[in-house]
Amino acid sequence: MQYSFIHVTNEEILDKVHRFRYKVMHEEFGWIRNANDKKERDIYDDYCEQFAILNANQEICASMRLIHHSPIGYPTEDFLDLSQTQFQYDREKLSEMSRIFIDSKYRNMRDTKIFISSIVKSLAYEKIKEYGIEYCYGMMEPKFIKLVNMFKIPYKPIADLHLSYGRFRQPSMMYVKELEEQNPQLAKYWDIHKEISVLHLDTNIKPDQIII
C-alpha cells in the first residue's frame, strides 16, 4: 500500500477532509448533529493548516489541523481560565493541534504510530518552524495523551478533565523545545534542509510506500 503525506492546499482534498471528519464525528461516534452536506467544519478552520494522509485510492486515512495565529482564540481555551498567569502564553507563538483522526481501518498500533508521528513530526513541524510556534494546545483524552507520549510527542495536562464531545478530555500543552529534545533529528534536518521528510522519522515506512 502506498501513502501520500500532504499539506492540504487542494480544494478537492480539503473537501474530502471535511467529509472524513464528519464520518468520524457524526456517523461513527455521534459527537455532532447531522449535516445536510455531510461535512464537518467550524470557525477555527479559517485559521489553520490542514494535513492528511491518503492511500493509493486517494481515500483519507488520517487527518489533523494546526490552528495558529488565531484572532478568535483556540478550542482548548474554552476550558481554561485565561486570567490565570500560567495560561498567559505569547499569542504570537501559540497554536493548537486538533481534529486528529485515523480511519477505523488503520487503528492498529503500527499504522497509528506511523500516521500520528508523520503528521506531527513532519507535516505540522515544518509549519511550526515556519511560523515560529513554541507552544501547541491539545484537548485530549488521558489515554491519548499517554499514546502520543509513547511516540515522543510530549503533551502534558495543564488543567482538570472536562466533558467535551461526550468524553472526558484534558486541556494539554506541548512545548516545541521538548519535542525537539526528544526527537533530535527534527532540529538537525530542519537546520540543514528546512524540511522534515517522513523518511527521516522512526516510523518503519519503506520508501516505496510513500508518495511525496
Side-chain angles (χ1 to χ4, degrees), residues 170-183:
Q170 211 158 3
S172 305
M173 180 65 77
M174 181 190 74
Y175 290 87
V176 175
K177 182 178 180 180
E178 292 182 1
L179 176 71
E180 293 173 334
E181 287 173 351
Q182 293 192 25
N183 303 271

Side-chain angles (χ1 to χ4, degrees), residues 131-169:
Y131 295 129
I133 291 168
E134 295 184 6
Y135 329 96
C136 296
Y137 281 129
M139 191 69 182
M140 302 176 175
E141 295 179 59
K143 63 181 180 181
F144 191 74
I145 296 174
K146 291 180 180 179
L147 181 68
V148 296
N149 274 270
M150 287 174 55
F151 303 153
K152 298 182 181 179
I153 301 170
Y155 268 95
K156 300 293 187 296
I158 57 174
D160 294 334
L161 287 165
H162 292 270
L163 196 62
S164 173
Y165 289 116
R167 297 188 181 186
F168 282 101
R169 292 180 168 84

Side-chain angles (χ1 to χ4, degrees), residues 48-105:
C48 77
E49 306 289 346
Q50 301 274 3
F51 308 103
I53 299 173
L54 288 73
N55 62 22
N57 297 321
Q58 294 297 289
E59 298 167 331
I60 304 289
C61 303
S63 69
M64 189 193 81
R65 69 181 178 185
L66 178 72
I67 308 167
H68 62 93
H69 299 165
S70 169
I72 58 173
Y74 296 87
T76 294
E77 292 180 332
D78 290 343
F79 304 94
L80 300 176
D81 179 358
L82 298 181
S83 67
Q84 296 186 32
T85 56
Q86 67 264 36
F87 302 137
Q88 294 175 4
Y89 302 99
D90 185 336
R91 307 301 290 184
E92 291 300 310
K93 299 177 181 179
L94 191 58
S95 67
E96 177 159 350
M97 295 185 192
S98 69
R99 298 299 193 260
I100 306 172
F101 296 127
I102 295 175
D103 189 272
S104 59
K105 296 191 294 292

